[in-house]
């Protein structure tokens, strides 16, 4: 079996320069992402794993995908994990750092290996013959615990982003997540992406209980409607998910092609204040506010929540999907970028949709995000122009070259981006939206 290393082609240096410098009194990072990354081997041809002679090496990990996207978008992002003291671990750290991510808190474990996996080239959602084989049991990352990970480093940030994948890796990893989601004075805002992976959980009922408990301790939760149904048996749309999960200040329910809905609840202690970039249900007004300030107010108990939710829904652009993997991570990164930049909630959702579309329209699960000026311009479209937006392969390059003419009703090249009702190029269109579950992170493909 031969393997070709294309890391240099798939892991570019940050296109928008490094993140902003740390100012006096600021935390060490804007976002810290904790979780396992693995070296991925993707076949160079379709077919069964038993028949494929050559693979291309890449990297994959839901949390590191978010860190890479944020760093490439100009934020100070840190990835915290454990890797083996081996060549695969060295490759992971180097590849993730190439995006501008701070990897200084990654620990090398001399006794445990770096996780790897192999998968078929086919799309797991479209091909019943999709295969994935993991070699992650006993990995260095599975040894993460409150005693082996620097907790002060995790908390030296504005936002701590974690996912339910980590909870499934080992009892020690679960203990770490429970520690980090305990409501305590001075902790950063805790962002939790449910990321339910059925094959990682032998006991599905226990998995649902664990993930629900972790979500209830977080401040910001990302979950797909499909995940909520699979993990918790919840049906009935976003409001039903909110009814079952009232504790987080902010709940983002991803609805695939239908877009995403955000519920934001005010608290007596000011964790989410009236007017903090929220469109209130029924008043039709989006207010710019200070949603990113006060990120360290997570100690306010859920019991002090006093106001009804502010609810914002943003539809997803239509997308000519090349590959679905990684889009959920990109959506989370776009939303978090908008949060850190103090954008209104509707703009955060649109940023998430656009970064998801960027990944959906390429074959890789991790790619450099579009220039900020481009996503800001598209996110600022009026409702009619946004609803007509359709994005195909190459849309970021074409928009950058055309100065956004297509978004204003001008022509777009074949396969590019079209607004005001234009059709996506060469294939069926789908929502950018916020794929979750099976569509989140190539390292979790089929996991």
């Amino acid at each position: 079996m031969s393997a070709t290393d294309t890391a240099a082609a798939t892991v570019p240096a940050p296109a928008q320069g490094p993140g902003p410098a740390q100012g006096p009194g600021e935390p060490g990072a804007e976002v810290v992402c904790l979780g396992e990354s693995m070296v991925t081997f993707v076949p160079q041809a379709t077919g069964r794993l038993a028949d494929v002679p050559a693979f291309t090496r890449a990297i994959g990990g839901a949390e590191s995908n978010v860190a890479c996207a944020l760093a490439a978008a100009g934020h100070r992002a840190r990835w915290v994990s454990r890797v083996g003291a081996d060549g695969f671990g060295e490759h992971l750290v180097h590849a993730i750092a190439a995006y501008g991510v701070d990897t200084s808190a990654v620990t090398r474990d001399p006794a445990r290996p770096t996780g790897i996996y192999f998968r078929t080239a086919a799309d797991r959602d479209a091909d019943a013959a999709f295969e994935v084989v993991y070699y992650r049991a006993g990995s260095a990352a599975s040894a993460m615990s409150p005693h082996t990970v620097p907790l002060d480093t995790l908390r030296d940030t504005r936002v701590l982003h974690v996912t339910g994948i980590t909870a499934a890796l080992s009892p020690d990893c679960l203990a770490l997540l429970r520690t980090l989601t305990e409501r305590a004075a001075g902790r950063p805002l805790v962002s939790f992406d449910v990321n339910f992976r059925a094959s990682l959980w032998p006991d599905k009922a226990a998995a649902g209980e664990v993930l629900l408990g972790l979500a209830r301790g977080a401040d910001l939760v990302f979950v797909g409607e499909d995940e909520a149904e699979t993990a918790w048996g919840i049906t009935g749309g976003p409001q039903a998910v909110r009814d079952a999960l009232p504790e987080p200040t902010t709940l983002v329910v991803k609805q695939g092609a239908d877009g995403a809905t955000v519920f934001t609840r005010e608290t007596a202690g000011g964790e989410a204040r009236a007017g903090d970039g929220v469109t209130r249900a029924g008043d039709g007004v989006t207010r710019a506010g200070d949603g990113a300030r006060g990120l360290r107010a997570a100690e306010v108990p859920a019991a002090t929540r006093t106001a009804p939710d502010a609810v914002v829904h943003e539809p997803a652009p239509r997308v000519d999907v090349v590959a679905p993997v990684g889009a959920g991570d990109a959506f989370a990164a776009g939303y978090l970028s908008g949060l850190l930049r103090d954008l209104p909630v509707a703009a955060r959702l649109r940023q998430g949709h656009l970064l998801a579309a960027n990944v959906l329209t390429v074959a890789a699960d991790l790619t450099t995000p579009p220039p900020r000026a481009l996503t800001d311009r598209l996110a600022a479209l009026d409702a009619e122009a946004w609803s007509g937006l359709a994005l195909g392969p190459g849309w970021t390059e074409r928009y950058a070259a055309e100065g956004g003419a297509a978004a204003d009703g001008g022509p777009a090249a074949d396969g590019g981006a079209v607004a005001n009702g234009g059709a996506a190029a060469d294939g069926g269109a789908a929502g950018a939206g916020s794929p979750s579950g099976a569509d989140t992170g190539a390292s979790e493909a089929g996991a």
Side-chain angles (χ1 to χ4, degrees), residues 48-63:
R48 302 186 309 154
L49 287 179
D51 301 326
V52 175
F55 293 77
T56 296
R57 183 175 72 169
I59 64 171
E63 300 86 358

Side-chain angles (χ1 to χ4, degrees), residues 12-32:
Q16 302 175 59
Q22 180 180 349
E26 291 185 0
E30 290 182 279
V31 178
V32 169

Side-chain angles (χ1 to χ4, degrees), residues 16 19-20 30-31 69-76 158-159 189 220 276-277 287-293 295 332-352 354-355 369-380:
Q16 302 175 59
E30 290 182 279
V31 178
L70 285 167
H75 294 284
R76 287 182 288 111
R158 296 173 68 186
V159 176
L189 182 145
L220 165 62
D276 284 5
R287 302 179 177 88
D290 61 350
R293 290 189 285 274
L295 288 179
Y335 186 93
L336 289 173
S337 177
L339 171 68
L340 291 165
R341 294 168 56 203
D342 196 19
L343 299 182
V345 170
R348 299 174 198 175
L349 285 172
R350 288 188 175 188
Q351 292 285 338
L354 291 168
L355 264 63
R372 181 178 290 181
L374 173 57
T375 59
D376 284 350
R377 186 165 68 245
L378 295 180

Side-chain angles (χ1 to χ4, degrees), residues 33-37 79-83 103 105-108 140-141 144 148-150 154:
C33 299
L34 168 80
E36 180 176 34
S37 291
W79 173 56
V80 178
S81 188
R82 291 172 63 86
V83 299
T103 59
V106 177
T107 302
R108 275 73 167 179
M144 291 189 295
T148 61
V149 173
L154 292 174

Side-chain angles (χ1 to χ4, degrees), residues 96-194:
I96 292 169
Y99 277 89
V101 176
D102 176 2
T103 59
S104 61
V106 177
T107 302
R108 275 73 167 179
D109 188 330
R112 298 177 179 85
T114 303
I116 65 173
Y117 79 94
F118 296 78
R119 68 175 175 90
T120 50
D123 174 6
R124 64 171 173 261
D125 294 324
D127 192 333
F130 177 82
E131 298 174 74
V132 60
V133 179
Y134 289 94
Y135 298 91
R136 75 195 303 179
S139 69
S142 71
M144 291 189 295
S145 77
H147 308 292
T148 61
V149 173
L151 297 182
D152 288 346
T153 299
L154 292 174
R155 291 165 175 155
D156 183 23
T157 183
R158 296 173 68 186
V159 176
L160 171 62
H161 181 72
V162 295
T163 81
I165 296 167
T166 302
L169 299 181
S170 70
D172 281 344
C173 285
L174 175 55
L176 175 61
L177 283 197
R178 282 176 168 160
T179 297
L180 296 174
T181 54
E182 290 176 356
R183 295 190 180 276
R187 82 173 192 184
L189 182 145
V190 176
S191 166
F192 179 70
D193 192 337
V194 173

